[in-house]
Amino acid sequence: MLIHKFFFVCLICNEFKHIHSFLLAGRPTISNKVKLISTQVYAKVPPTSKFNLNEIEEFEAELDWQLKQETQVIAGLEEGDDNDDNEIFFGSENEEVKIYEVTPELHNKRIDAILSEMVSDLSRSQCGSLVTSGMVAITLPSEKSTRDRKPTVTTRKSLKLEKGTLLHVKNVIEERPTEIISQNLPLDIMYEDEHMIVLNKAAGMVVHPAVGNWDGTVVNALAYYLANESPFGSGEFIAADGNVKSEKGEGVDIDGTDGEAIIFRPGIVHRLDKGTTGILVVAKTRQALTLLSGAFAAREVKKAYVAITVGNPGKRVVIDKPIGRHPTNRQRMRVVPDPNRMNSSGMSPNQKMALGVFNGKSVAQVGRKALSFVDTLAFDGKLGVAHVRIETGRTHQIRVHLQDRTTPIFGDDVYGFSDWNKRLFKSHGIQRPLLHAFRLELNHPITGKKMIFRAPMADDMSTVAIAIWPNGKDERSDLFEKSEIEIIE
């Protein structure tokens, strides 16, 4: 044992000796210090650069900007367009295409803003609609010299373009009426006074005139009723002959439209989808319109729905998922990433967007906040009856949120299951989403009194609900039978 310790100590001492020698060798002596100082004093002066560093940095910055711009445009084209868009855009030889070039003053502006500056007779919202409907194509400055290259269609109205970009715009003259024609159509009126009217909208009825539905809407029916039958007068939007001129004001937002521009909307403050039934409030005066629109925008109006679902959405479910436009099908919405929620990278989408990771996408493209509360009232093992309350009013919000839970609305041909929809049509002859706005609570825009409206489900939906929920009428009669309006002083 002693011999082993002796050899161990010798080994350590020997290693220390080598280390000590190495350190001494590396330490500069006085003469070495002098040599070092001498070297520093008499070092050769480096040659003067013939390049202007500032000019190089500016050139590199310009290259980086161009690369980022082209990447943004390419990403925008990939995100918003189908492969067949170019064929559709250039498919007709009879349609005129006007070409505009982005000027230096409009450099790095949004495409809808650029168009509104160049086409003086169109508003910015109209220019945005041109873009989203696939009526605009672009040629980047770098592509101008390429022969036989067709411009690329884009449907992103927030896309920013650099100077020199060419815009190819279809000159489409859309035939649309200048007035809303009154029509004698049935309306289920729940409440009316000189300031507003509350309806129980029927299935299959569009709320206001738009492309593809210029008549047969709630507005057309109201134009006739208010001018000819209303005991409280026609209000400020309807003329004595029952016709109403188009309202082009864009100062009032409509709940459920996400800021879409709507031309024919006298008194409309919120919407229900064509297939959705239930409570709809319409203003009759401009004062009521402004106050009701403000109440909807401030989320002071409480809205509740009942839906028939394929599957069981669950009890007391909170769905807090942003909703945005579908990237390829512009008529659809979808659940998209939360712009404020961090992922595995440790960055939120908003932070990524600020750094250019999203290639210039707007917050609306990343997703707008949508909050729904779902509570299943009955479930028979296949179908459910669910109560849904929404805090926000995004387009197709309930339909999209329930689809995201893989429990879509029964009969929804856009977001639902096609085989189940076929089964619904075969068994009940129903071809619509079974969604009903059954309760609405608001303060009267003039008197300030709290008013609670309840509307029973339509007969077709009620039949399906009873088959799922035999005791439904006893447990929730307000969903199946008419209720008195509650007015709280």
Side-chain angles (χ1 to χ4, degrees):
M1 177 67 74
L2 291 176
I3 296 175
H4 287 171
K5 289 183 179 180
F6 174 76
F7 280 115
F8 180 75
V9 172
C10 291
L11 180 62
I12 293 176
C13 293
N14 189 48
E15 289 296 325
F16 177 80
K17 180 179 179 180
H18 287 301
I19 296 172
H20 181 66
S21 301
F22 173 77
L23 292 175
L24 289 177
R27 179 190 296 176
T29 59
I30 295 177
S31 59
N32 285 339
K33 289 183 181 179
V34 173
K35 289 179 181 178
L36 288 173
I37 294 174
S38 173
T39 302
Q40 292 174 357
V41 172
Y42 297 103
K44 185 178 180 180
V45 178
T48 303
S49 173
K50 296 181 181 180
F51 298 99
N52 187 322
L53 184 59
N54 292 332
E55 291 182 358
I56 294 174
E57 290 178 347
E58 291 177 1
F59 177 70
E60 290 178 344
E62 180 67 18
L63 288 178
D64 289 341
W65 186 91
Q66 291 181 3
L67 178 61
K68 181 179 179 180
Q69 190 72 10
E70 293 189 7
T71 302
Q72 174 187 358
V73 172
I74 292 170
L77 299 178
E78 290 176 347
E79 177 213 342
D81 307 319
D82 285 329
N83 295 329
D84 297 332
D85 280 347
N86 276 17
E87 298 300 324
I88 296 172
F89 187 87
F90 298 102
S92 175
E93 297 179 356
N94 297 325
E95 291 178 315
E96 179 185 0
V97 177
K98 291 187 176 181
I99 300 177
Y100 304 90
E101 183 170 350
V102 179
T103 61
E105 294 78 16
L106 299 175
H107 176 69
N108 204 29
K109 298 285 187 180
R110 284 170 51 121
I111 188 171
D112 56 352
I114 293 173
L115 278 175
S116 64
E117 291 289 334
M118 293 182 167
V119 187
S120 57
D121 58 339
L122 293 180
S123 67
R124 180 163 175 173
S125 62
Q126 289 172 320
C127 291
S129 297
L130 274 179
V131 176
T132 56
S133 58
M135 307 301 286
V136 180
I138 65 173
T139 299
L140 298 177
S142 59
E143 298 173 343
K144 288 181 180 179
S145 59
T146 305
R147 291 185 178 183
D148 301 327
R149 181 183 177 91
K150 289 183 178 180
T152 306
V153 176
T154 179
T155 57
R156 273 189 61 197
K157 63 182 180 180
S158 62
L159 187 66
K160 294 182 178 180
L161 301 177
E162 61 177 310
K163 60 185 178 181
T165 301
L166 297 181
L167 297 176
H168 307 257
V169 184
K170 271 191 177 181
N171 185 25
V172 178
I173 301 175
E174 182 184 351
E175 294 184 2
R176 64 172 64 199
T178 57
E179 293 181 337
I180 296 174
I181 307 301
S182 64
Q183 293 177 293
N184 187 6
L185 303 172
L187 291 172
D188 183 0
I189 299 172
M190 301 178 62
Y191 173 86
E192 183 188 4
D193 59 25
E194 61 269 30
H195 307 290
M196 69 178 191
I197 184 168
V198 181
L199 311 171
N200 182 8
K201 188 186 85 67
M205 203 172 197
V206 176
V207 172
H208 56 77
V211 177
N213 295 283
W214 291 121
D215 57 14
T217 70
V218 171
V219 169
N220 295 108
L222 279 175
Y224 179 88
Y225 167 79
L226 293 176
N228 297 281
E229 300 178 0
S230 173
F232 298 95
S234 61
E236 297 179 358
F237 302 112
I238 307 300
D241 58 0
N243 294 335
V244 76
K245 293 183 178 180
S246 61
E247 292 278 333
K248 293 188 178 181
E250 297 178 6
V252 179
D253 290 331
I254 297 179
D255 195 68
T257 67
D258 291 337
E260 299 167 4
I262 301 171
I263 296 177
F264 298 107
R265 62 186 193 189
I268 301 299
V269 292
H270 71 125
R271 290 196 313 194
L272 295 176
D273 295 334
K274 181 178 180 179
T276 302
T277 57
I279 303 172
L280 182 73
V281 182
V282 181
K284 293 174 61 176
T285 66
R286 289 175 176 81
Q287 181 184 13
L289 175 65
T290 301
L291 294 173
L292 285 171
S293 300
F296 273 96
R299 307 304 171 197
E300 296 170 355
V301 179
K302 297 180 181 179
K303 298 167 287 185
Y305 296 72
V306 60
I308 308 296
T309 62
V310 179
N312 185 356
K315 298 289 290 184
R316 298 181 180 179
V317 176
V318 179
I319 306 176
D320 185 5
K321 293 187 176 183
I323 291 175
R325 186 75 56 183
H326 194 280
T328 57
N329 188 339
R330 308 303 293 176
Q331 303 303 315
R332 296 185 58 173
M333 308 300 288
R334 62 165 182 162
V335 167
V336 294
D338 188 335
N340 299 306
R341 185 171 296 166
M342 292 186 179
N343 58 16
S344 58
S345 68
M347 296 173 61
S348 70
N350 272 345
Q351 291 171 327
K352 286 187 175 183
M353 184 171 58
L355 295 175
V357 178
F358 277 124
N359 299 316
K361 294 181 184 178
S362 67
V363 174
Q365 289 164 316
V366 176
R368 301 183 68 187
K369 181 177 178 61
L371 181 60
S372 304
F373 301 89
V374 183
D375 189 24
T376 299
L377 302 175
F379 181 61
D380 67 359
K382 294 180 180 179
L383 299 174
V385 179
H387 173 282
V388 184
R389 181 171 61 86
I390 58 175
E391 287 292 320
T392 51
R394 305 303 175 210
T395 302
H396 300 173
Q397 176 173 325
I398 297 174
R399 298 165 66 187
V400 173
H401 272 172
L402 288 175
Q403 179 208 35
D404 186 68
R405 287 190 66 80
T406 65
T407 56
I409 294 176
F410 198 19
D412 194 332
D413 62 344
V414 177
Y415 303 102
F417 297 138
S418 60
D419 54 341
W420 280 94
N421 296 341
K422 292 176 183 177
R423 187 179 304 182
L424 177 64
F425 176 69
K426 185 176 180 179
S427 59
H428 295 88
I430 299 174
Q431 287 184 294
R432 71 172 184 92
L434 293 181
L435 178 64
H436 175 71
F438 85 92
R439 187 180 188 277
L440 189 140
E441 178 181 330
L442 54 72
N443 293 330
H444 191 281
I446 307 302
T447 67
K449 294 180 181 179
K450 180 183 289 186
M451 306 183 74
I452 301 175
F453 301 92
R454 296 180 180 87
M457 289 181 285
D459 291 341
D460 58 351
M461 184 172 176
S462 177
T463 300
V464 178
I466 291 173
I468 302 168
W469 189 15
N471 298 327
K473 284 187 176 182
D474 297 329
E475 297 179 20
R476 290 293 302 270
S477 61
D478 57 331
L479 298 177
F480 298 89
E481 301 172 358
K482 287 187 177 181
S483 304
E484 294 292 328
I485 299 170
E486 289 186 45
I487 301 177
I488 302 174
E489 299 290 340

